[in-house]
Each structure stands twice: as structure tokens, then as C-alpha cells.
Amino acid sequence: MDWIAPLLAWYERNARPLPWRSTRDPYHILVSEVMLQQTRVSAVLDYYARFLSQFPDLAALALADDDALMKAWEGLGYYSRAKNLKRAAAEAVSRYSGALPADYDALALLPGLGAYTAGAVASIAFSIPVPAVDGNVLRVLARLENDARDISDPSAKRRAREKLLASMPQDEPGRFNQALMELGALVCVPNGEPRCALCPVAAFCRAREAGTEQLLPVKTGKKPRRVEEKTVFALTLGGKLLGYRRQDSGLLASLWQLPDEPGLLNAEQMAYWLAGRGLTATGELLVCRRKHIFTHVEWHMLVCRAAVSGAVPDGWTPLDDDAHALPTAYRVCLE
Ligand code: SF4
């Protein structure tokens, strides 16, 4: 792969100075890689610093209180990542004396890691020459090789991994993996036109040569998201917002939520719904619409805001903003 040297030289000059790039601490790198899954760098920066000050090492994370952990992750989404990170920390404490193992296969077996994250941690923190193949890397490779095979097919990852494994620099695998990711983030971008005029490996790019860079990668259509309609109640009692904990499996498992009801209720049905829980609106019911998009489902919400009187219904709690993690899907109902 002739493009490796120009890629590394470009990375040397253009890498963004991100906090996780100035450390080789395996735990810090693991936290950054898990946070960066499905999430933009700009959104991660503050969370990364706060998370590490709250949970400075694997031992602290392994002992984290679940509500405190969810609160630290609040707004970042994909909360199962945080739960798996805690499980991985607990396993590192019990099986590896509180450190992450310097071994790709052992890392890949930790909860929530998988091939990509294990590859990133192994190569960046431990200089183990293994690739870290994610969607960005698949896109860049498909374009560099003008490869029109479907990158959502599991065989694409396997092929990319084998190819990179055979050619990646043995002395600086972490820098190589990061350079490829950075190229995908800054130049060979996912949405819109790739910035070929700025690309350090344009001279080696077969898609650029063939004029197919905007047609690649080929990715078969995802299933359309399911739409769920619901009415969400943003109710305050004595100035405190009311909510309850979600069930411990499925979407947003164990987090806190505002009360809701399937379907879009009209004003009369909302008042009836409140009465059924022993609550009475003390003023007008304010109604607005909100939408929240998850990976596989969209919530179309009718939000009913009201101050209410009555007793806190069984199983409900006055929410404390410092203690209860309310996911963004519900937070947007308060805006
Ligand atoms: Fe991507 Fe364009 Fe560079 Fe090819 S030349 S790798 S399409 S940015």
C-alpha cells in the first residue's frame, strides 16, 4: 500500500490535538474510543474530561454507582456503552489486576469492546500491530481501491482487516490507525463530497482516477426506522418534575423517564389520564410536539406540560437534576 507513507506524513502535520491523543494510558484510550462510537468528537470532549475526573481509573469505574454513571453519560446517548464500560472495568479488575490486558484477543473479549475497539486500544496504547476497522476505514478503503462491493456485508470488514494486517507499519500501528480514521473524519468524509483536492493520498486513489469517489462506498439500504407515537407528560408537582425509572432491558434501560402513554392524546384524554393517576392540572395544559431519532426508531411525541396537584403516584419520583439521568429524548420535551 504505497499510500501509507504520505498518509502518515499528512497525519503528522494535520492531526487534531485531541486530549486522548496525548496519552498512552489504555484506560483513557478505551474511554475515548467507546465515547466516540456513533458520536462526534466535539460532543465527546467535555464528557471525556468530566468522566475521567469522576472515574479516574478502572477500579473507580468498576465500583461506580449506576445512577452516577448514567448521570455522567447523560446526553451522550447509547447508554449501553457506559454499562458495558463498567462491566469491562470490573472484569479488568477481577481478571487482570486492575489493568487492561496488553493482548488483542483478551481485549476483544471484554464486554462491549469487539474487534474495532480492541484494535484501537491494542494499537494505540500497546503498539500491537492490529487494525481498527470501522465504517470510516471501510469507506476510505472502498474509495482508495475503487471497490464497489457492499461495505455493510460482514465480509467487507474481514477483507479490510486482512489487508491492513498484512501491510500496516509494525513500528507505529496506533499512529497508522489514527491517521486512517483522521483521513476519514476530515478529508474522505462520509456525507457530501470527499475533499479530494486536499487529500494526501489522492495520487493513489483509484476511485478518484475513475471519477467514482462520490458513488462509493456502496452500502445497501438500511431498514427504515419504525415510528412510535406517544404522549409525554412533563408534570411538575411542588416545583419538581415527576418521572420514574424505565424497565431494566430494552431502549434506554434503567434510565429515568417522564411519564408517557402510547398514541397522541387529545386535551380531554390528557385530563382523563391525569385524573386516573390522582392528579389535577392547576393551570392550563400546554401542548407542543417533539421528535427524537434513535438508530432504529423515531419517537413522535405530543408533549403535555402542566403543574399538577395531588400525591406522587405509586412508583413515580420527584426527579432531582443532580441525581437522575434523564435521556435527551425526554429532555427535549422540557425545552
Ligand atoms: Fe477519498 Fe478523494 Fe482521497 Fe480518494 S482522493 S481517498 S476519494 S478524499
Side-chain angles (χ1 to χ4, degrees):
M1 297 195 299
D2 298 337
W3 46 265
I4 292 178
L7 173 68
L8 291 174
W10 169 83
Y11 183 67
E12 196 64 41
R13 291 190 306 274
N14 294 281
R16 289 168 290 175
L18 303 172
W20 45 88
R21 287 191 175 150
S22 58
T23 177
R24 300 286 296 272
D25 184 313
Y27 171 60
H28 292 194
I29 290 166
L30 173 63
V31 169
S32 70
E33 286 297 336
V34 171
M35 285 188 169
L36 286 165
Q37 291 162 14
Q38 323 257 14
T39 310
R40 287 180 329 251
V41 164
S42 56
V44 165
L45 285 167
D46 283 351
Y47 282 94
Y48 173 77
R50 272 203 311 271
F51 192 90
L52 289 182
S53 75
Q54 194 171 348
F55 308 110
D57 51 35
L58 287 158
L61 181 58
L63 293 174
D65 169 77
D66 286 339
D67 274 331
L69 179 64
M70 289 300 106
K71 193 69 201 166
W73 208 267
E74 184 184 67
L76 207 48
Y78 301 97
Y79 291 84
S80 57
R81 293 181 296 174
K83 293 174 192 166
N84 281 333
L85 201 48
K86 177 178 165 178
R87 290 171 57 217
E91 202 161 314
V93 167
S94 67
R95 294 186 61 180
Y96 303 110
S97 313
L100 288 171
D103 178 283
Y104 168 78
D105 292 319
L107 284 166
L109 287 175
L110 290 174
L113 264 72
Y116 168 78
T117 310
V121 175
S123 62
I124 299 168
F126 298 117
S127 293
I128 299 171
V130 284
V133 178
D134 67 353
N136 281 314
V137 170
L138 289 175
R139 177 178 66 256
V140 173
L141 290 182
R143 287 173 174 166
L144 275 169
E145 295 173 1
N146 196 25
D147 187 339
R149 285 175 289 185
D150 182 0
I151 65 161
S152 45
D153 189 295
S155 64
K157 261 193 188 155
R158 201 178 52 243
R159 273 198 310 275
R161 222 180 110 68
E162 282 165 8
K163 195 169 179 72
L164 293 173
L165 197 54
S167 312
M168 65 193 296
Q170 301 292 299
D171 54 338
E172 42 187 0
R175 209 160 69 86
F176 170 73
N177 284 336
Q178 291 185 90
L180 207 45
M181 293 175 206
E182 194 75 335
L183 188 73
L186 299 182
V187 180
C188 198
V189 291
N191 302 311
E193 246 179 87
R195 300 177 183 137
C196 302
L198 303 173
C199 180
V201 297
F204 307 93
C205 179
R206 296 199 190 135
R208 168 104 159 128
E209 195 184 334
T212 54
E213 68 272 19
Q214 291 197 56
L215 304 175
L216 295 172
V218 171
K219 204 171 172 183
T220 47
K222 290 189 211 152
K223 275 199 228 156
R225 284 190 210 96
R226 192 176 74 249
V227 171
E228 283 181 11
E229 292 186 324
K230 59 177 70 203
T231 302
V232 176
F233 290 87
L235 307 174
T236 51
L237 179 66
K240 283 277 192 187
L241 194 62
L242 296 176
Y244 47 81
R245 198 189 279 282
R246 292 176 68 78
Q247 57 192 21
D248 57 12
S249 63
L251 187 67
L252 305 176
S254 311
L255 296 169
W256 293 81
Q257 72 159 88
L258 301 180
D260 61 12
E261 183 70 23
L264 305 178
L265 307 187
N266 61 31
E268 197 182 330
Q269 291 167 322
M270 288 173 185
Y272 185 75
W273 189 95
L274 289 174
R277 284 147 188 86
L279 299 170
T280 311
T282 56
E284 217 186 324
L285 299 181
L286 297 174
V287 175
C288 61
R289 284 186 179 267
R290 291 288 181 268
K291 182 155 111 175
H292 189 77
I293 297 177
F294 298 94
T295 309
H296 303 296
V297 63
E298 282 182 34
W299 283 0
H300 292 194
M301 298 174 282
L302 193 61
V303 182
C304 169
R305 291 186 200 156
V308 293
S309 62
V312 177
D314 278 352
W316 293 24
T317 302
L319 297 180
D320 178 347
D321 205 33
D322 292 331
H324 299 119
L326 192 63
T328 306
Y330 290 104
R331 270 204 187 271
V332 295
C333 299
L334 307 175
E335 289 160 6

